[in-house]
């Protein structure tokens, strides 16, 4: 504890938290009553799993519990950070799908007692190396994390404005398609979204082989949709997001 005279005596959190295995990466909830951490103890779902413990009314930490197989994989799931305001857990993993490098950072929302399927927070944060120790400020404006390009022991700290994929309020879905108006076949190209109100960066995406796309965005904002086609066409459309939305468009290719 940090008192007026500085740090007090260091105390072991006890056998309900610690084991003879590796127990590390502690992250305390904003209310101070839940501790998230990583351990490679026996009985987990993978090499290293995320666990949590809750304080009882007497201030004692209860037996640590595995956070479960939705978050934990067969590989390593580490460095948890829980955003109390939006009930979202950020963590690093090399076992989740859609991976840009070795360890990537993911987010999962807690609905009641059930964790939502984790989502990769995107290429503006995750790269070819490994990313760990994600933290976001209370206003969801700046993020902080550590990145290793190759050597896991050689980490650099990074900080920049929170992009859309990492934002805890980006929970509303925009989806759509683009097809050839003559043949009905899907088009190829890149889809970009611009937040016209707050300027939060959104990573562009390629149209899928079936011509579809989707984004998770912050609700009640005005956006600009831009589709730049491989056949040298460009589509621009301003829209206001008010709940889940679908934009299906067609275009004609001029030979």
């Amino acid at each position: 504890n940090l008192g007026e005279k500085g740090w007090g005596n260091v105390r072991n959190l006890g056998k309900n938290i610690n084991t003879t295995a590796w127990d590390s990466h502690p992250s305390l909830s904003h209310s101070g009553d839940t501790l998230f951490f990583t351990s490679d103890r026996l009985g987990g779902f993978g090499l290293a799993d995320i666990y949590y413990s809750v304080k009882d009314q007497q201030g004692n930490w209860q037996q640590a519990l595995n956070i479960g197989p939705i978050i934990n994989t067969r590989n390593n799931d580490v460095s948890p950070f829980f955003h109390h305001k939006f009930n979202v857990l950020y963590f690093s993993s090399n076992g989740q799908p859609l991976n840009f490098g070795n360890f990537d950072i993911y987010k999962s929302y807690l609905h009641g007692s059930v964790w939502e399927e984790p989502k990769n927070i995107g290429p503006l944060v995750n790269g070819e190396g490994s990313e760990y120790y994600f933290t976001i400020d209370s206003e969801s404006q700046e993020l902080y994390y550590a990145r290793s390009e190759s050597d896991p022991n050689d980490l650099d700290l990074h900080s920049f404005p929170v992009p859309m994929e990492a934002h805890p309020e980006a929970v509303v879905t925009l989806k759509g398609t683009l097809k050839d108006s003559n043949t009905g076949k899907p088009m190829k190209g890149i889809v970009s979204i611009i937040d016209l109100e707050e300027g939060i960066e959104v990573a562009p995406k390629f149209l899928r082989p079936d011509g579809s796309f989707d984004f998770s965005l912050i609700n009640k904002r005005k956006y600009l949709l831009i589709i730049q086609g491989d056949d040298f066409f460009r589509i621009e459309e301003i829209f206001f997001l008010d709940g889940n939305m679908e934009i299906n468009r067609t275009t004609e290719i001029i030979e």
Side-chain angles (χ1 to χ4, degrees):
N1 296 324
L2 180 59
E4 295 181 357
K5 297 181 179 180
W7 292 103
N9 294 329
V10 175
R11 293 183 297 171
N12 192 298
L13 291 181
K15 64 180 181 180
N16 283 346
I17 303 292
N18 293 311
T19 65
T20 57
W22 175 75
D23 305 301
S24 189
H25 297 183
S27 178
L28 195 62
S29 65
H30 184 76
S31 58
D33 60 2
T34 304
L35 177 69
F36 298 91
F37 65 97
T38 302
S39 177
D40 64 356
R41 64 189 62 183
L42 295 175
F45 293 96
L47 300 177
D49 281 7
I50 294 173
Y51 291 77
Y52 71 98
S53 176
V54 178
K55 273 186 179 180
D56 62 19
Q57 293 182 348
Q58 289 71 43
N60 300 312
W61 291 109
Q62 299 302 290
Q63 185 66 47
L65 300 174
N66 191 296
I67 207 169
I70 294 178
I71 301 295
N72 291 318
T73 66
R74 293 182 179 181
N75 290 334
N76 294 290
D77 305 281
V78 299
S79 62
F81 170 75
F82 187 71
H83 196 302
H84 69 284
K85 186 176 180 180
F86 301 102
N87 286 341
V88 56
L89 179 74
Y90 295 88
F91 65 100
S92 183
S93 175
N94 66 348
Q96 293 285 343
L98 184 56
N99 194 285
F100 293 100
N102 186 13
F103 280 86
D104 275 6
I105 297 169
Y106 296 80
K107 67 177 180 179
S108 175
Y109 292 88
L110 181 63
H111 300 289
S113 60
V114 178
W115 292 100
E116 183 183 274
E117 194 70 27
K119 295 181 179 179
N120 191 300
I121 64 171
L124 296 179
V125 175
N126 294 315
E128 295 181 357
S130 293
E131 292 78 28
Y132 310 92
Y133 313 118
F134 179 95
T135 305
I136 189 172
D137 68 17
S138 59
E139 300 299 323
S140 302
Q141 294 182 349
E142 297 288 329
L143 60 80
Y144 307 86
Y145 68 99
R147 169 179 288 170
S148 168
E149 296 296 337
S150 56
D151 183 354
N153 296 315
D154 184 15
L155 296 171
D156 290 330
L157 292 176
H158 295 259
S159 175
F160 49 82
V162 178
M164 188 65 69
E165 291 88 339
H167 204 287
E169 291 185 272
V171 295
V172 178
T173 300
L174 169 73
K175 63 180 181 178
T177 58
L178 181 65
K179 296 184 178 181
D180 188 313
S181 58
N182 293 319
T183 65
K185 293 182 178 180
M187 305 299 295
K188 295 181 180 180
I190 296 176
V191 187
S192 300
I193 299 287
I194 298 176
D195 180 345
L196 296 177
E197 295 188 13
E198 298 295 333
I200 296 177
E201 190 171 2
V202 184
K205 296 182 178 181
F206 286 100
L207 287 166
R208 298 190 185 97
D210 63 355
S212 68
F213 62 88
D214 64 68
F215 292 85
S216 293
L217 304 173
I218 300 173
N219 202 27
K220 303 292 184 180
R221 287 191 181 176
K222 184 184 293 185
Y223 296 91
L224 172 63
L225 168 70
I226 303 174
I227 304 177
Q228 185 69 49
D230 287 358
D231 294 304
F232 305 103
F233 65 86
R234 182 182 176 94
I235 295 174
E236 294 189 8
E237 183 172 335
I238 294 176
F239 66 94
F240 181 79
L241 188 66
D242 187 9
N244 294 334
M245 185 175 180
E246 188 168 344
I247 298 178
N248 298 311
R249 296 292 180 265
T250 60
T251 187
E252 182 178 1
I253 301 302
I254 305 299
E255 301 292 343

